[in-house]
Amino acid sequence: MYVLTENFSLYWQGFLGTVQLTVYASLLALVLGFVMASFRVAPVGSFRVFGTVWVTVLRNTPLTLLFFAVLLGLPRFGLVLPFQVFAVLALGCYTSAFICEALRSGINTVPKGQGEASRSLGMTFTQTLGSVVLPQAFRSVIPPIGSTLIALAKNSAIAGAFSVTELLGTYKTLSELGYNIIWTFAWIAVGYLIITLSISALFNVLEKRWGITR
């Protein structure tokens, strides 16, 4: 217990860093995932191609390589931002590909006849997607999206290798101070457990609430 009590401020700083990365990257991933899912089912061929390329490239690129490309590559093109912002970009873009596929799978569960009926009433593609398709697809994609965001929270540990303050990175300082490595990682694991269980609880509530409204 003394490992935590004597270094609570260090753990707390790392915990908050991981929470911030998770929240900001999740918001970015949800927005980009929605946009790319819309592209993948859009009637415009160029949009479908762009969405397909986005998903294919990001899903098949190791996250660590993407971190190197964003944190070390973008500054060479004159884009200089705090490392935390770069980490959010890397995590958000990477996770958006998985969010996109989860949303697309939900969209595909909606009968095509409903989209055709909406268009016959004069509704645009955007109106059909937002008012008819997505509300029906939403409940079926809550569990996979929740699982994807839990994975994002754990993937944020990679950011510590790029000078970004996060929970796993606290072990370096504590190891240098001579603390027991087993208990150091044990308290780090507790921090990640709190974050992932909170995300899981949130999505369980959303799923139950949406089920009642249906």
Side-chain angles (χ1 to χ4, degrees):
M1 193 69 181
Y2 73 92
V3 177
L4 176 64
T5 56
E6 293 181 1
N7 302 278
F8 184 79
S9 61
L10 181 63
Y11 273 113
W12 181 247
Q13 186 179 9
F15 180 82
L16 289 181
T18 296
V19 170
Q20 289 177 347
L21 282 175
T22 301
V23 171
Y24 295 147
S26 295
L27 293 175
L28 179 61
L30 289 171
V31 172
L32 288 177
F34 170 77
V35 172
M36 293 304 156
S38 301
F39 280 8
R40 295 212 66 184
V41 298
V44 182
S46 58
F47 284 0
R48 292 198 301 272
V49 170
F50 184 84
T52 301
V53 171
W54 179 276
V55 171
T56 302
V57 170
L58 290 176
R59 289 185 71 186
N60 293 284
T61 301
L63 181 55
T64 304
L65 179 60
L66 186 59
F67 263 87
F68 275 110
V70 173
L71 275 78
L72 302 180
L74 291 182
R76 297 189 174 218
F77 295 94
L79 184 58
V80 179
L81 296 170
F83 271 20
Q84 186 179 26
V85 177
F86 282 135
V88 169
L89 289 175
L91 282 169
C93 291
Y94 178 80
T95 308
S96 70
F98 298 90
I99 296 291
C100 169
E101 289 302 275
L103 288 172
R104 189 170 71 94
S105 66
I107 290 172
N108 289 336
T109 63
V110 180
K112 294 183 178 179
Q114 297 197 25
E116 295 173 355
S118 301
R119 288 192 293 273
S120 69
L121 294 174
M123 298 178 68
T124 64
F125 169 75
T126 303
Q127 291 173 330
T128 300
L129 190 66
S131 302
V132 178
V133 178
L134 284 180
Q136 297 182 69
F138 178 68
R139 188 183 188 284
S140 64
V141 301
I142 291 178
I145 288 179
S147 298
T148 301
L149 296 185
I150 288 174
L152 182 153
K154 293 182 288 185
N155 287 337
S156 67
I158 298 177
F162 297 90
S163 301
V164 177
T165 301
E166 52 80 39
L167 188 57
L168 183 61
T170 58
Y171 91 90
K172 299 176 183 177
T173 302
L174 296 178
S175 178
E176 293 173 356
L177 294 174
Y179 285 96
N180 188 303
I181 194 68
I182 296 177
W183 285 109
T184 297
F185 279 111
W187 288 114
I188 290 174
V190 170
Y192 279 107
L193 189 63
I194 292 173
I195 294 172
T196 55
L197 288 180
S198 298
I199 297 173
S200 179
L202 172 62
F203 276 84
N204 284 337
V205 170
L206 290 176
E207 187 175 6
K208 291 179 181 179
R209 183 174 181 181
W210 182 254
I212 292 174
T213 57
R214 284 184 62 144

